[in-house]
Amino acid sequence: MELFELVSLGTNLCKGYSFEEALDIVRECGFTYVEPSSIVNMCEHIRPEEMTPEYASKVKALLAEKGLKCYAVSGHVDLTQEEQFRDFMKKLAFAGRIGARMINTNSGPVERRDIFYRNMKEAIKEAERWDVVIGLESHGDIVSTAKESVEVFEYFHHPLVRLNYDTGNTLFYSAGKVRIEEDIKYGFEYLAHLHLKDIRIKGNEVAYVPVGAGDVRFPAVFKTLRTLGKKIPCGYEIPVHVKGVLGDIAPQNTPMMKKDIFHAVKRSTEYVERLLKDISE
């Protein structure tokens, strides 16, 4: 069976380019779906202060003009920090206004779990208003590995609070110790979106790389996903400009040259296409 309902490309690879330029790059890479980046302290192609109803209408029209669709928005913030949480509420409404079905985000530090739960109850009300799923991403915080985080989703037990499993993040925050193909099973009940992301860890040195070029065991991950019994949406995240050491990574030397962006995307998609063909035979 096919694994993915639809496949997006995230614009965080296009850090340093304008939002419209990033959309053009996504389209040139052959994608129909785009995951716009509004990630605090990383890549904000769309900033919270811009997210008025009028701007949302312009973005929706721009997407249509370029023949692109948006299923998910990368709206990552720390939901326990009040200013960032208020920004997230703007992002949630923005996602609804442009017709997105999902907004992905971090959660926050484990020691601020009580604030997270309180703020999420408010966020859920806004999500219900717009019928937008809040995708809590595996990010080494309150939501880390699927095994450790399933209790969060059980606590809310709400159809608009779901898991966005990020393969690269999970491996990074576990310092390469978690077997993704085993861990993801614990989140199957709540899994609603997958970020295809790869990372290479050598000692203390870390670099995000094209999908298939790193340490994530994608053949095993895809075989596990086949047992889910249904297709899920996914998005390529290929931030190959992000590197550093365990516990301290950041974008470097952006914007990347377009030829390098196209190469990273092509290498990733060709790898995944070969892998999907292999496991279906």
Side-chain angles (χ1 to χ4, degrees):
M1 62 169 288
E2 293 182 19
L3 294 185
F4 305 125
E5 179 183 347
L6 57 88
V7 182
S8 306
L9 178 61
T11 67
N12 59 358
L13 177 61
C14 308
K15 180 178 173 64
Y17 291 90
S18 71
F19 180 51
E20 185 166 0
E21 289 172 327
L23 294 180
D24 287 335
I25 289 171
V26 170
R27 185 176 59 178
E28 288 178 57
C29 287
F31 283 79
T32 301
Y33 284 87
V34 60
E35 185 171 345
S37 182
S38 183
I39 305 174
V40 67
N41 300 324
M42 197 280 182
C43 178
E44 290 187 296
H45 280 126
I46 305 173
R47 297 185 298 275
E49 57 268 26
E50 297 175 321
M51 293 179 176
T52 62
E54 293 77 18
Y55 182 66
S57 295
K58 290 180 181 179
V59 168
K60 191 172 183 179
L62 183 62
L63 290 169
E65 175 188 320
K66 295 185 180 297
L68 293 171
K69 301 176 183 178
C70 176
Y71 180 85
V73 173
S74 282
H76 300 60
V77 299
D78 178 344
L79 291 173
T80 72
Q81 295 292 336
E82 195 59 31
E83 184 176 350
Q84 291 189 35
F85 175 66
R86 291 301 152 199
D87 284 345
F88 179 75
M89 297 294 274
K90 295 177 184 177
K91 295 179 184 187
L92 206 165
F94 173 82
R97 288 187 174 107
I98 67 171
R101 295 288 301 113
M102 188 170 198
I103 181 162
N104 294 317
T105 182
N106 309 351
S107 298
V110 173
E111 60 270 20
R112 296 169 64 86
R113 186 185 294 261
D114 57 336
I115 301 173
F116 165 74
Y117 281 132
R118 185 185 69 211
N119 285 346
M120 273 295 294
K121 289 176 181 177
E122 183 178 345
I124 288 170
K125 292 178 182 177
E126 188 73 356
E128 290 173 339
R129 177 186 176 193
W130 295 102
D131 194 24
V132 170
V133 173
I134 300 172
L136 298 178
E137 184 168 309
S138 52
H139 208 271
D141 53 11
I142 291 168
V143 176
S144 53
T145 65
K147 184 178 182 179
E148 295 169 334
S149 307
V150 68
E151 64 182 35
V152 173
F153 299 96
E154 290 173 345
Y155 173 85
F156 293 112
H157 196 63
H158 194 288
L160 297 181
V161 180
R162 286 294 181 259
L163 171 64
N164 173 43
Y165 197 95
D166 188 301
T167 55
N169 282 358
T170 307
L171 201 64
F172 169 71
Y173 286 107
S174 71
K177 296 176 182 177
V178 169
R179 294 178 69 90
I180 305 299
E181 64 273 20
E182 294 300 323
D183 179 61
I184 198 171
K185 296 176 185 177
Y186 291 96
F188 268 6
E189 182 178 353
Y190 299 99
L191 180 64
H193 193 267
L194 181 76
H195 268 166
L196 291 171
K197 188 192 292 181
D198 209 348
I199 191 167
R200 184 184 299 126
I201 303 173
K202 288 188 175 181
N204 197 42
E205 295 185 356
V206 177
Y208 283 100
V209 294
V211 177
D215 298 334
V216 177
R217 292 158 42 92
F218 281 104
V221 172
F222 281 17
K223 287 179 181 177
T224 295
L225 286 173
R226 286 182 68 180
T227 69
L228 179 61
K230 65 177 182 180
K231 295 187 288 185
I232 60 170
C234 84
Y236 282 91
E237 273 206 335
I238 319 172
V240 294
H241 49 67
V242 175
K243 55 193 70 177
V245 297
L246 287 170
D248 186 16
I249 56 173
Q252 298 181 20
N253 303 318
T254 57
M256 294 172 53
M257 295 181 65
K258 287 186 179 180
K259 67 178 182 64
D260 294 327
I261 293 175
F262 293 141
H263 175 73
V265 174
K266 183 178 180 182
R267 185 173 176 184
S268 298
T269 56
E270 289 183 347
Y271 170 78
V272 170
E273 287 167 4
R274 288 196 304 271
L275 192 54
L276 290 173
K277 182 179 180 182
D278 288 344
I279 68 170
S280 66
E281 291 178 347

